[in-house]
Coordinates of all heavy atoms in Angstrom, one line a residue:
I1 N -9.9 27.1 -5.8 CA -9.1 26.1 -5.0 C -7.7 26.1 -5.6 O -7.5 26.2 -6.8 CB -9.7 24.7 -5.1 CG1 -9.0 23.7 -4.1 CG2 -9.8 24.1 -6.5 CD1 -9.7 22.4 -3.9
S2 N -6.7 26.1 -4.7 CA -5.3 26.0 -5.2 C -5.0 24.7 -5.9 O -5.7 23.7 -5.7 CB -4.3 26.2 -4.0 OG -4.4 25.1 -3.1
F3 N -3.9 24.7 -6.7 CA -3.6 23.5 -7.4 C -3.3 22.4 -6.5 O -3.7 21.3 -6.7 CB -2.4 23.8 -8.3 CG -1.9 22.6 -9.2 CD1 -2.5 22.4 -10.4 CD2 -1.0 21.7 -8.7 CE1 -2.1 21.3 -11.1 CE2 -0.6 20.6 -9.4 CZ -1.1 20.4 -10.7
N4 N -2.5 22.7 -5.4 CA -2.1 21.7 -4.5 C -3.4 21.2 -3.7 O -3.5 20.0 -3.4 CB -1.1 22.2 -3.5 CG 0.3 22.3 -4.1 OD1 0.6 21.7 -5.2 ND2 1.1 23.2 -3.6
G5 N -4.3 22.1 -3.4 CA -5.5 21.8 -2.7 C -6.4 20.9 -3.5 O -7.0 20.0 -3.0
C6 N -6.4 21.1 -4.8 CA -7.1 20.4 -5.8 C -6.6 18.9 -5.8 O -7.4 17.9 -5.8 CB -7.1 21.0 -7.2 SG -8.1 20.1 -8.4
M7 N -5.3 18.8 -5.9 CA -4.7 17.5 -5.9 C -4.9 16.7 -4.7 O -5.1 15.5 -4.7 CB -3.2 17.5 -6.2 CG -2.9 18.1 -7.6 SD -3.6 17.1 -9.0 CE -4.7 18.3 -9.7
A8 N -4.9 17.4 -3.5 CA -5.1 16.8 -2.2 C -6.6 16.3 -2.2 O -6.8 15.2 -1.7 CB -4.9 17.8 -1.1
Q9 N -7.5 17.1 -2.6 CA -8.9 16.7 -2.6 C -9.1 15.6 -3.5 O -9.9 14.6 -3.1 CB -9.8 17.9 -3.1 CG -11.3 17.6 -2.9 CD -12.1 18.8 -3.4 OE1 -12.1 19.2 -4.5 NE2 -13.0 19.3 -2.5
L10 N -8.5 15.5 -4.7 CA -8.6 14.4 -5.6 C -8.1 13.1 -4.9 O -8.7 12.1 -5.1 CB -7.8 14.7 -6.9 CG -7.9 13.8 -8.1 CD1 -7.7 14.6 -9.4 CD2 -6.8 12.8 -8.0
F11 N -7.0 13.2 -4.3 CA -6.3 12.1 -3.6 C -7.3 11.4 -2.6 O -7.5 10.3 -2.6 CB -5.0 12.5 -3.0 CG -4.4 11.3 -2.2 CD1 -3.7 10.3 -2.7 CD2 -4.5 11.4 -0.8 CE1 -3.2 9.3 -2.0 CE2 -4.0 10.4 0.0 CZ -3.3 9.3 -0.6
F12 N -7.8 12.3 -1.7 CA -8.6 11.8 -0.6 C -10.0 11.3 -1.0 O -10.6 10.5 -0.5 CB -8.7 12.9 0.6 CG -7.5 13.0 1.4 CD1 -6.7 14.2 1.2 CD2 -7.0 12.0 2.2 CE1 -5.5 14.3 1.9 CE2 -5.9 12.2 3.0 CZ -5.1 13.3 2.8
L13 N -10.5 11.9 -2.1 CA -11.7 11.5 -2.7 C -11.6 10.1 -3.2 O -12.5 9.3 -2.9 CB -12.1 12.5 -3.9 CG -13.4 12.1 -4.6 CD1 -14.6 12.4 -3.8 CD2 -13.5 12.7 -6.0
H14 N -10.5 9.8 -4.0 CA -10.4 8.4 -4.5 C -10.0 7.5 -3.4 O -10.3 6.3 -3.5 CB -9.3 8.5 -5.6 CG -9.9 8.9 -6.9 ND1 -10.3 8.0 -7.9 CD2 -10.1 10.1 -7.5 CE1 -10.8 8.7 -8.9 NE2 -10.6 9.9 -8.7
L15 N -9.3 7.9 -2.4 CA -8.9 7.0 -1.3 C -10.2 6.5 -0.6 O -10.4 5.3 -0.4 CB -8.0 7.8 -0.3 CG -7.7 7.1 1.0 CD1 -6.7 5.9 0.7 CD2 -7.0 8.0 2.0
C16 N -11.1 7.5 -0.3 CA -12.3 7.1 0.4 C -13.3 6.3 -0.4 O -13.9 5.3 0.0 CB -13.0 8.4 1.0 SG -12.1 9.3 2.2
A17 N -13.4 6.8 -1.7 CA -14.3 6.1 -2.6 C -13.9 4.7 -2.9 O -14.7 3.7 -2.8 CB -14.4 6.8 -3.9
C18 N -12.6 4.5 -3.1 CA -12.1 3.1 -3.3 C -12.2 2.2 -2.1 O -12.5 1.1 -2.2 CB -10.6 3.2 -3.8 SG -10.0 1.6 -4.4
A19 N -11.9 2.8 -0.9 CA -12.0 2.1 0.4 C -13.5 1.6 0.5 O -13.7 0.5 1.0 CB -11.6 3.0 1.5
E20 N -14.5 2.5 0.2 CA -15.9 2.1 0.3 C -16.2 1.0 -0.6 O -16.9 0.0 -0.3 CB -16.8 3.3 0.1 CG -18.2 3.0 0.3 CD -19.1 4.2 0.7 OE1 -18.5 5.2 1.1 OE2 -20.3 4.0 0.8
I21 N -15.7 1.0 -1.9 CA -16.0 -0.1 -2.8 C -15.4 -1.4 -2.3 O -16.1 -2.4 -2.4 CB -15.4 0.3 -4.2 CG1 -16.2 1.5 -4.8 CG2 -15.4 -0.9 -5.1 CD1 -15.5 2.0 -6.1
F22 N -14.2 -1.3 -1.8 CA -13.6 -2.6 -1.3 C -14.3 -3.1 -0.1 O -14.6 -4.3 0.1 CB -12.1 -2.3 -1.0 CG -11.2 -2.2 -2.2 CD1 -10.0 -1.5 -2.1 CD2 -11.5 -2.8 -3.4 CE1 -9.2 -1.4 -3.2 CE2 -10.7 -2.7 -4.5 CZ -9.5 -2.0 -4.4
L23 N -14.8 -2.2 0.8 CA -15.5 -2.6 2.0 C -16.8 -3.2 1.6 O -17.3 -4.2 2.3 CB -15.7 -1.4 2.9 CG -16.4 -1.7 4.3 CD1 -15.6 -2.7 5.0 CD2 -16.6 -0.4 5.1
L24 N -17.6 -2.6 0.7 CA -18.8 -3.2 0.2 C -18.7 -4.6 -0.3 O -19.5 -5.5 -0.1 CB -19.5 -2.3 -0.8 CG -20.0 -0.9 -0.3 CD1 -20.5 0.0 -1.4 CD2 -21.1 -1.1 0.7
T25 N -17.5 -4.8 -1.0 CA -17.2 -6.1 -1.5 C -17.0 -7.1 -0.4 O -17.4 -8.2 -0.4 CB -16.0 -6.1 -2.5 OG1 -16.3 -5.1 -3.5 CG2 -15.8 -7.4 -3.2
I26 N -16.2 -6.7 0.6 CA -15.9 -7.5 1.8 C -17.2 -7.8 2.6 O -17.4 -8.9 3.0 CB -14.9 -6.8 2.7 CG1 -13.5 -6.8 2.0 CG2 -14.7 -7.5 4.1 CD1 -12.5 -5.9 2.8
M27 N -18.1 -6.8 2.7 CA -19.3 -7.0 3.4 C -20.2 -8.1 2.7 O -20.9 -8.9 3.3 CB -20.1 -5.7 3.5 CG -19.5 -4.8 4.5 SD -20.2 -3.1 4.5 CE -21.7 -3.4 5.4
A28 N -20.1 -8.1 1.3 CA -20.9 -9.2 0.6 C -20.3 -10.5 0.9 O -21.0 -11.5 1.0 CB -20.8 -8.8 -0.9
Y29 N -18.9 -10.6 0.9 CA -18.2 -11.8 1.2 C -18.6 -12.3 2.6 O -18.8 -13.5 2.9 CB -16.7 -11.6 1.1 CG -15.9 -12.8 1.6 CD1 -15.8 -14.0 0.9 CD2 -15.2 -12.8 2.8 CE1 -15.1 -15.1 1.3 CE2 -14.5 -13.8 3.3 CZ -14.4 -15.0 2.5 OH -13.7 -16.0 3.0
D30 N -18.7 -11.4 3.6 CA -19.1 -11.7 4.9 C -20.6 -12.3 5.0 O -20.8 -13.3 5.7 CB -19.1 -10.4 5.8 CG -19.7 -10.6 7.2 OD1 -19.1 -11.3 8.0 OD2 -20.8 -10.0 7.4
R31 N -21.5 -11.7 4.2 CA -22.8 -12.2 4.1 C -22.8 -13.6 3.5 O -23.6 -14.5 3.9 CB -23.7 -11.3 3.4 CG -24.1 -10.0 4.0 CD -24.7 -10.1 5.4 NE -23.8 -10.4 6.5 CZ -24.1 -11.1 7.6 NH1 -25.3 -11.6 7.7 NH2 -23.2 -11.3 8.5
Y32 N -22.0 -13.8 2.5 CA -21.9 -15.1 1.8 C -21.4 -16.2 2.8 O -22.0 -17.3 2.9 CB -20.9 -15.0 0.7 CG -20.4 -16.3 0.1 CD1 -21.2 -17.2 -0.6 CD2 -19.1 -16.8 0.5 CE1 -20.8 -18.4 -1.0 CE2 -18.7 -18.0 0.0 CZ -19.5 -18.8 -0.7 OH -19.0 -20.0 -1.1
I33 N -20.4 -15.9 3.6 CA -19.9 -16.9 4.6 C -21.0 -17.1 5.6 O -21.2 -18.3 6.0 CB -18.6 -16.3 5.2 CG1 -17.5 -16.2 4.2 CG2 -18.2 -17.3 6.4 CD1 -17.0 -17.5 3.6
A34 N -21.6 -16.1 6.1 CA -22.6 -16.2 7.2 C -23.8 -17.0 6.8 O -24.3 -17.8 7.6 CB -23.1 -14.8 7.6

């Protein structure tokens, strides 16, 4: 994998992983309110 390709993969990996962590937390808040 190219250096730039590696950095792009790293960026989108953490973008999606962090988004999922935040969303799971929001979903727990949603269940708490419900």
